[in-house]
Amino acid sequence: MLEEKNDNLQEADGKPGIEISDSTPDNVIEESDSETAAENLVSNTEIESETPEADHQEALDAITNSNAEESEDETLKERHEIPMQDYDTFTLDALVDELKKLVNTDKTMSVKEHIEEIKKSFLLQYNHLIEEKKEEFNASKQDPNEEFEYHSPLKSKFDEYYSIFREKRNAHFKHLQTNLKSNLDNRLAIVEELKELINPQENIKDTLKHFNDLRERWKNAGPIPKDKYNHVWNNYHFHVENFYDYLHLDREARDLDFKYNLEQKQKIIARVEELVNETDISKSFRELQDLHRIWKEDIGPVSKEHRDTIWNKFSELTKKIHDKRELLFESLRANEQQNLEIKKEIIGKLEVLGTEKVNSHSQWLIQIQKVEALRNEFFAAGKVPSEVNEETWASFKTAVRNFNSFKNSFYKDIKKDQNDNLNKKMALVAKAKELQESTDFTATTPIMKQIQEEWKQIGHVPKKYSDKIWKDFKDACNHYFDKLKEHKSEENSDEVAAFDNKKAYLETLRAYQLTGEHKTDLDAIKLHIETWKGLGKVPFSRRHIEGKFNKILDALFEKLSLSKKETEMMRFSNRIDSLSESNDTRKLDNEKIFLMRKIEEVQNEIFQLENNIQFFTNTKNAKKENSIVLEVRKNIAIHKESLEVWKDKLKQLRNLNQE
C-alpha cells in the first residue's frame, strides 16, 4: 500500500536517519525516577501531538478500539473476509450445513461471531419446534405417566459440530493467553531498555546498534492484551522520541526523515480520500483501520509546521467515513424496524387464527397450513432491533401456543369419539377372526359382508392404532374370502356338470306330452320339478336355463284343468325354490316386501269396494240390487280370491325362512 521505509539507523557521521513515532504519551507513562529525567529531556523536544478535536473523538475511538482488539488476537482480522448473513432466514437444515462449513475452516476466531449467530438462530427455531411437538404429544398421549421424548438427528449434528468449534476455540484461547503474557513482559522489558539508552558515557555507535536491535525485537514481539495496547505503545513511542532528541542529530538528516514521513502520511490521506467515496462502507472502514495502524505504528513524526494540519486532515476524513458507517447502521436499524412491523403483523394474524373456530379435521388442516406459512414468513422476515427481540419472540411463541391450545381442544373433544371407534373396530376384528375359519359359507358370507359394511360406517381411530387394526381386520377378511374363493372353485365343476345335465333334460322335457289324465299329468309335472331340482345348482352366468324351464312348466300348467290358485302356487313354489337354492337372500327379501305390499293394496281395494256397496244399499228407493251393485260384489269376490293367493305365497315364503 505504501512504500517501504528503511528503518535502520545510520551512523552519526553525517549520514544519520532515524524513524520517529508521532504518538502522544496521553499521560499514561508510568512515573518513576528514571522517567523524570526523560520528561525533563522531552520538554525541550518536538513531540508530535495528535489530540483530535472533540467532535472527531468518537470516530477515532472506534478505530483505536478495533485496532486494540485485533492487536490482541491477530486472527480477528480474518473475520472481515467472511460476510455476515441473516441467519434468522435460514432453515434448520441450512443452519447445520453452514455450521459444518464454518467449523471446518482453520480461521477459528474469524468465524466465531458467525457461529454464535447460527447457534442463536438454530436454538430459537429448534426450541419452537420442541414446543410444538410437546403440545402434540400432550394432546394425543394415552398414558398420563408417559414422558415426552423427542430426538432430532439435526440437533445431534448441530451439537457435534458446535463441540468441535468449542474445542478449537478453547485451544486457541489457551495458546493465546500464554503468549499474551509472555509478549507483554517482553515489550515492557524493551521499553525499560529504551530508557537506559540515554547514557552520555556510552559510545554512540554501540548505542545506535542497541537501539536498532530493540526496534527489531519490538516488531517481532507479538500481540499483547488489548487493555494494555495503548499504554504500552505510547510508552514505547515516548521513549523512542526521547532517544531521538537525545542524540542531537544534524538538522539535515532530521529534515529528510520528516520529509519522508510527511510523504508517507500524505499517501495515506490520499488513499483515505478515495475511501470516502467507496460504496462498500464496511470495506472502507476496515482499510481505514489498517491505515491508522500504519500511521501510528510504522511512520514517524513530521515537522512541527505540518503536524497539526496533516493530523487534522486525517482525522477529518476519518470522521467522514465514520459518519457514513453510522448512516449505514441507521439504515440497518430502519430495516430492522420494518422487519419488526412485519413480524407484528404476522403475530396479529396468528392471534386471529387462534380464535377462528372450525369443526372438522380437514378445516383444521387448512388452519395448520396457514400457521406454518406464517411461521416461515416470521423466520424469513429478518432481524429486529435487539432491544425488542426477546419481547417479539415471546409474543410469537404465545400466539402459536394459543393456536395450538385452541386446536388441541378440538382434538381432545374428538379423541373420545376416536377411542369409541377403536373399541367398535376391535370388536369387528374379533368377530372377523372368529369367523375366518368357518366352512359354513352360506351362513357366514352375509355376516362377513355385513361386518365390512359396518367397518366402513365407523369413523377414524387414534392414528397410532390405525395401521395395525386395519391390517388385522383386512387379514381376517382376506383369509375367509380366500377360503370362499377356493370353495367356489371346487363347486364350479359340479355347477357346470349340473348345467349340462339340465340342458339335456330340458330337451327331453320339450318333447313331453300330457296324457289327459289330470292326476297322472299333475304327478308327472311335479316329478319333473323334483328331478330338475335334484340336478343341482348351475353357474351364476348360466342361470338363464331356469327361465326356460319355467316357461315349459307354464305351458304344461295351462293344459291342465287346474284352478287358477293351484297354478299360481305351483309356479310361485318353483320360483322360490330356485331363489333359495341360489342363496340369493336379497331377492328373497325383496319378494317378501313385494308380497306384503300386494296384500295391503288388495285389502285396501276390498275395503273401498265394500264402502261403495253400503252407499248404494242404504238408499230408500233401493228395492233390489242394481247392476252396479252386482258388479261391485263380483269384484270383491275376485279380490278376496286374489288376497288368499297372496297370503298363501307370503306364508310359504315365511315357512321357507324358518326352515
Side-chain angles (χ1 to χ4, degrees), residues 318-334:
T318 297
K319 184 176 184 302
K320 287 183 179 180
I321 295 177
H322 179 267
D323 290 344
K324 289 183 67 175
R325 183 166 175 257
E326 285 300 306
L327 287 175
L328 173 63
F329 287 157
E330 288 180 9
S331 174
L332 293 176
R333 285 191 287 269

Side-chain angles (χ1 to χ4, degrees), residues 495-521:
E495 290 178 356
V496 171
F499 174 78
D500 293 337
N501 292 334
K502 284 189 174 183
K503 185 177 181 182
Y505 189 77
L506 197 63
E507 294 302 320
T508 60
L509 190 60
R510 292 181 193 278
Y512 174 73
Q513 296 292 328
L514 295 175
T515 62
E517 291 291 332
H518 178 79
K519 186 176 184 310
T520 302
D521 291 337

